[in-house]
Amino acid sequence: MLLEKGEGCFSVRNNQEGFVPCSFEIIVESYDYLKQQQVTITARGLEAIVFQHEQGHLEGNLYYDLINKTEPWMKKSDWIIV
């Protein structure tokens, strides 16, 4: 899955253009400090894109690390575009 016009980020001074492929559905397991319990979130679509974008920050990566360097606007026929 990917965003039709590519992604951007406030952490990047000069936006890099291109498609950022990611999973349509993800399962996030985490700990809710306020509830004092483990939680599981299933995110789909745009919500999944946001989670993956922010997880990249936590791992020290930015969205442009996922853009195809030789063909930034290349898309595969089976990708979902939102």
Side-chain angles (χ1 to χ4, degrees):
M1 179 174 67
L2 48 89
L3 293 174
E4 181 177 21
K5 297 187 179 190
E7 284 188 36
C9 182
F10 292 122
S11 298
V12 177
R13 183 170 288 181
N14 298 319
N15 273 336
Q16 304 291 315
E17 293 189 354
F19 287 134
V20 181
C22 60
S23 299
F24 174 77
E25 178 180 84
I26 61 170
I27 298 172
V28 179
E29 295 180 356
S30 185
Y31 184 77
D32 186 321
Y33 181 77
L34 297 176
K35 294 181 181 179
Q36 299 287 304
Q37 66 184 23
Q38 289 292 123
V39 294
T40 301
I41 299 168
T42 301
R44 295 178 187 89
L46 184 58
E47 184 180 33
I49 290 173
V50 172
F51 266 99
Q52 291 169 86
H53 178 102
E54 297 306 327
Q55 182 63 35
H57 285 292
L58 296 173
E59 295 171 356
N61 301 312
L62 293 171
Y63 73 95
Y64 56 73
D65 295 324
L66 301 173
I67 295 174
N68 183 314
K69 304 300 183 247
T70 56
E71 294 182 65
W73 295 106
M74 184 218 44
K75 58 184 170 183
K76 296 183 180 177
S77 60
D78 61 338
W79 283 353
I80 299 168
I81 300 173
V82 293

